[in-house]
Amino acid sequence: MADRFLAELVLPGELGSVRVARHCVKMILTAAGHRNVADVQLVVTELVANAVQHSISGLAGGLIILDVRSIGDQLARIDVMDDGGLTVPRIRRSHTWDCSGRGLHLVAETALRWGVGDNALGGRVIWAEVLTAESAPVAMPDLAEVR
């Protein structure tokens, strides 16, 4: 299958960037012909939020870079690059009463494949490949789009 670069987004390392990333990725993939991007939006939400909360990118002046790619017409790949951190992203076991800690579990359950690596600039990249096939759930509009 052909891997086609669609876009690169550079966002500040702030929680407000999560919403922007979700919206932009939805528009980019929809424009490229992907029909069902709800799962991709979930993955983007978790990966960008993790980059903000658990990497140096979340400090003042930090940046997060998203690469959006199309693999054929039914698979999207998202790479989220941050400035690195003290820990390596991994799935952790959360207790029922924990308010956080389930993000990578959601990514693992939603994505076909995902992984973590170091980038050439000393930061980290976490990537996921997510189905956007016709039979996947149809993306619901963002609340901001409904108003």
Side-chain angles (χ1 to χ4, degrees), residues 63-124:
L63 296 174
I64 296 166
I65 301 171
L66 272 79
D67 274 358
V68 182
R69 296 182 175 275
S70 191
I71 303 172
D73 60 354
Q74 298 185 357
L75 189 64
R77 179 179 168 119
I78 305 296
D79 290 18
V80 177
M81 292 159 270
D82 61 44
D83 295 328
L86 298 176
T87 60
V88 175
R90 64 177 175 78
I91 295 175
R92 68 181 182 104
R93 185 178 180 142
S94 297
H95 297 291
T96 305
W97 55 85
D98 289 342
C99 295
S100 64
R102 294 175 185 82
L104 287 181
H105 179 73
L106 287 172
V107 170
E109 290 295 315
T110 305
L112 263 176
R113 299 182 325 135
W114 70 282
V116 178
D118 295 327
N119 68 26
L121 302 174
R124 212 160 262 127

Side-chain angles (χ1 to χ4, degrees), residues 14-98:
E14 304 168 353
L15 283 177
S17 292
V18 174
R19 182 170 177 249
V20 173
R22 278 179 60 86
H23 177 75
C24 289
V25 167
K26 177 182 178 180
M27 295 297 111
I28 292 163
L29 289 174
T30 302
H34 292 270
R35 303 216 0 114
N36 300 299
V37 298
D39 284 349
V40 180
Q41 287 184 287
L42 172 65
V43 167
V44 166
T45 298
E46 296 303 331
L47 296 183
V48 173
N50 280 354
V52 171
Q53 294 174 335
H54 302 293
S55 80
I56 297 169
S57 290
L59 299 177
L63 296 174
I64 296 166
I65 301 171
L66 272 79
D67 274 358
V68 182
R69 296 182 175 275
S70 191
I71 303 172
D73 60 354
Q74 298 185 357
L75 189 64
R77 179 179 168 119
I78 305 296
D79 290 18
V80 177
M81 292 159 270
D82 61 44
D83 295 328
L86 298 176
T87 60
V88 175
R90 64 177 175 78
I91 295 175
R92 68 181 182 104
R93 185 178 180 142
S94 297
H95 297 291
T96 305
W97 55 85
D98 289 342

Side-chain angles (χ1 to χ4, degrees), residues 123-137:
R124 212 160 262 127
V125 60
I126 185 164
W127 59 269
E129 294 176 353
V130 183
L131 280 174
T132 60
E134 187 84 33
S135 61

